[in-house]
Structure formats: structure tokens, C-alpha cells
Amino acid sequence: MDDRKLEVLRAIVEDYVATQEPVGSKAVAQRHALGVSAATVRNDMAYLEDAGYIQQPHTSAGRIPTPKGYRLFVDRLGKIKPLSAAERRAVHRFLSEAIDLDDVVTRTVRLLAQLTHQVAVVQYPSLNRSSVRHLELVSLTPTRLMIVMITDTGRVEQRYVEMPAELSEDDVLDLRRLVNEQLQGKPLADAPRVIASLADLVRPELQTTAAALTRVLLETVVARTEERVAVAGAANLTRPGNFFAGSLRPILEALEEEVVLMQLLGRADSNALLTVRIGDENNLDDFRETTVVTAGYGPGSVVGHMGVLGPTRMDYPGTIAAVRAVARYVSEILEQNR
């Protein structure tokens, strides 16, 4: 594959995305400064078709990219169309006004859907990749406590615990101090081991109380680690130009399943800065005609993923730029609030 054939493929992808019409050799020669005749472009298109990068959808002279063609286009993408200065300011202002983590996620998913005109999906920071920033114990009654755990990514988990005996304010202060000394800054993956030893560290008269507290703390960091996702822009799938050969119903139904959404995001076990999966690369039957662009985000290390889903015929440079930029801004916000 020489550079000229790559330029012909690039021209076909760009024109097809822009016009939604099959692209002919004459149009490529006229619209793009390739320095060759339409006949030469036609020969290059014949090569690209034989190699499986483009196809003829019907008997017209035009060609459209195949998933293999889109894959090569993305892999050889020379430059990413950056957001404009006005867009960057708007993104930064919109996200910086968030009041808590839930608001950050809600704003992020709405913003991605608006910027890309596709379906946006954002995973909440994974508890498995978070650390304990602070753990608050609040006395509601002499025998009832509220536990509030705040992670370094801003995620808040709240539980209640009934104590076997009445606690004084000094008892609550002692327990709060001990719990934070042992857990503050610890990765949640290590928290169960630390929590299990708490009852051995308190004075004898508080051991029964500490055991009850330990059980609820373990439930908080172990049983409450389910992944959460937010979705916005499903209506964008029906926009003019977002063409799907089959029914949209299976895609819309799949978007209601969090397990499916986590599979699309690649789950939180990948540290890839940005991933583009096209067509069959999604390994899900309902998404054979879709492209999913995802990026990891987090304060220093990846704690969650975000991305957009749309037809394989999408504006790849613009979509990649938007996902990458928003992920970077969210990472900066989480870093500032650690």
C-alpha cells in the first residue's frame, strides 16, 4: 500500500462521511489535490476494493469504506482535528462548574453526546481502582452510626450500622480516629485486610462494637463495588445520516444493560489512553455496524472509562479529539480534588 492509495482511501472516507453518498473516482480527483488523473484514482480504487478496504454498495460507480477500510484510516490517521479554542473554553467551564462526582459524570456524558452527536457512555470511577480519602462516622443515636466513605476520586458510599451497645461521643471519636489512621490513603483493594484487624486495635471495652463496625465496613468496600455507568444521547442514533442497515431496536435494548455497556467500554482492566473498535471488533452481535471510541480517565492513573458509540460512518478525527479532550479535562478535575 503506497502513500497515494492511502490518500485515495482517506479521500473516500472523508467524502463518504461528509456527503453520505458513495464516492466515485472523478469526485476524488476533483475534490482532493492528489496530482493524478481520475483514471489513476480509478485504478487505485480497484486495488483498494480487491484488498477489501472499500466496496460498491450497488451498481453505481461510487464506493464506500468497509470496516477494514475504516480501520486502516484510523490507524494511519495523521492528525486529530483539535477542538477549537471556544470549544475548549466551553468544555472547561461546563465541567469545572460541577459540584460533586455525580455532577461531573452527568455533565461529562451530556457533553460528549453534544460534541460528537453520538451516544455517550461514562463509567463512574471504579471502587476497585480507588483509595480511601476519608471515612466519617456520624452518631445518629447512642446506638446508631452513619458511615460515610469518600474515595480519592470523589465517590461517596454511605451506610448505617446498629451498635450492640451505647456509644459516647468520645467512643465515636476514638473509632473515627482509628479507622482513618488505618484506612486513609489505602487502596480499596487492600482495605478488607486492614478492616479485618480493626477489632484487635481498640481497647477491650470497644471490641464488640468494633466487630459490628468491621462487618459493615467490609460490606461497604467489598459488596458495594458494582460498576455504574451513565448514558446520554441515545436519540442521536436516529439522526439523519446515522445509517444502520439493520434494526436499531437491538442496539437500544443493549444500551439498557450495564453489563453490555461495560463490555463496550472495555471494562476498567485496560490502561489504554484511547481505543477505537470498529464493527466486528466489538465482539457483540448487536454492535457489528457500530464504532466505539473510548478513553481512560483518572487522577494520575485510570479509574474509569468514557466513550461514544455510533455508526461506522462517523467523523473519526472529530470524535477522537472530543473523547480525548473531555477525558483529559475530567482527569484534571479529579486530580485537583484529590
Side-chain angles (χ1 to χ4, degrees):
M1 174 85 67
D2 57 41
D3 289 343
R4 192 184 67 227
K5 292 184 179 65
L6 284 172
E7 287 302 313
V8 171
L9 175 62
R10 187 189 306 274
I12 293 171
V13 171
E14 291 175 351
D15 285 2
Y16 181 57
V17 168
T19 67
Q20 305 170 33
E21 297 290 339
V23 183
S25 57
K26 185 177 180 180
V28 171
Q30 289 176 343
R31 294 173 186 165
H32 302 268
L34 301 181
V36 296
S37 66
T40 300
V41 172
R42 194 155 47 247
N43 289 335
D44 289 340
M45 289 175 66
Y47 171 88
L48 292 169
E49 186 171 10
D50 289 342
Y53 295 108
I54 59 176
Q55 65 183 2
Q56 188 175 25
H58 44 74
T59 55
S60 72
R63 302 293 188 275
I64 65 174
T66 64
K68 181 179 178 181
Y70 285 124
R71 177 79 269 164
L72 182 60
F73 172 79
V74 170
D75 289 344
R76 299 294 183 91
L77 205 55
K79 59 181 179 180
I80 302 299
K81 180 174 62 179
L83 299 183
S84 67
E87 286 175 326
R88 291 197 300 272
R89 286 194 299 270
V91 168
H92 184 267
R93 182 172 61 252
F94 184 67
L95 292 179
S96 63
E97 292 173 351
I99 58 176
D100 56 25
L101 179 64
D102 283 334
D103 198 17
V104 169
V105 172
T106 300
R107 286 170 178 262
T108 298
V109 76
R110 286 169 47 202
L111 183 64
L112 274 178
Q114 292 169 3
L115 286 173
T116 64
H117 306 295
Q118 307 293 354
V119 180
V121 184
V122 177
Q123 174 195 9
Y124 279 76
S126 171
L127 281 179
N128 291 327
R129 291 192 166 211
S130 302
S131 298
V132 179
R133 180 199 292 173
H134 182 71
L135 200 143
E136 187 62 46
L137 298 181
V138 180
S139 179
L140 302 177
T141 72
T143 59
R144 184 174 172 83
L145 292 180
M146 179 174 67
I147 302 173
V148 182
M149 183 182 70
I150 305 172
T151 72
D152 61 340
T153 54
R155 187 162 171 176
V156 179
E157 295 292 326
Q158 183 174 299
R159 298 293 293 269
Y160 298 91
V161 55
E162 294 291 341
M163 295 314 220
E166 291 189 3
L167 294 176
S168 68
E169 286 298 321
D170 286 342
D171 292 336
V172 175
L173 288 174
D174 285 346
L175 288 171
R176 181 190 302 141
R177 176 188 52 77
L178 174 64
V179 167
N180 279 290
E181 284 178 354
Q182 298 301 311
L183 283 178
Q184 207 165 47
K186 296 287 194 307
L188 285 180
D190 298 337
R193 175 181 53 80
V194 177
I195 291 171
S197 65
L198 288 177
D200 298 329
L201 301 176
V202 299
R203 59 183 189 271
E205 61 268 27
L206 285 179
Q207 285 187 342
T208 302
T209 296
L213 179 62
T214 295
R215 286 194 296 271
V216 177
L217 284 173
L218 285 172
E219 291 175 6
T220 304
V221 301
V222 176
R224 296 290 295 274
T225 56
E226 73 274 7
E227 304 294 354
R228 297 167 55 198
V229 292
V231 183
N236 285 329
L237 291 175
T238 63
R239 291 176 63 249
N242 274 0
F243 174 75
F244 294 88
S247 170
L248 276 177
R249 183 172 179 176
I251 297 177
L252 293 172
E253 289 178 346
L255 289 175
E256 296 179 0
E257 300 292 333
E258 289 201 352
V259 172
V260 174
L261 295 176
M262 291 306 303
Q263 286 180 297
L264 288 174
L265 288 176
R267 304 194 66 84
D269 55 3
S270 170
N271 285 311
L273 294 179
L274 190 131
T275 302
V276 180
R277 292 193 300 278
I278 302 170
D280 289 343
E281 294 171 357
N282 289 301
N283 294 320
L284 293 169
D285 290 337
D286 293 329
F287 295 89
R288 300 297 184 187
E289 295 183 56
T290 66
T291 287
V292 180
V293 180
T294 61
Y297 72 91
S301 61
V302 173
V303 297
H305 288 77
M306 66 178 67
V308 298
L309 175 150
T312 53
R313 190 195 63 77
M314 70 163 54
D315 173 15
Y316 286 94
T319 300
I320 290 171
V323 172
R324 181 179 289 172
V326 173
R328 184 174 66 248
Y329 280 118
V330 173
S331 297
E332 291 174 357
I333 289 172
L334 295 182
E335 180 66 39
Q336 293 166 4
N337 289 281
R338 293 183 74 168

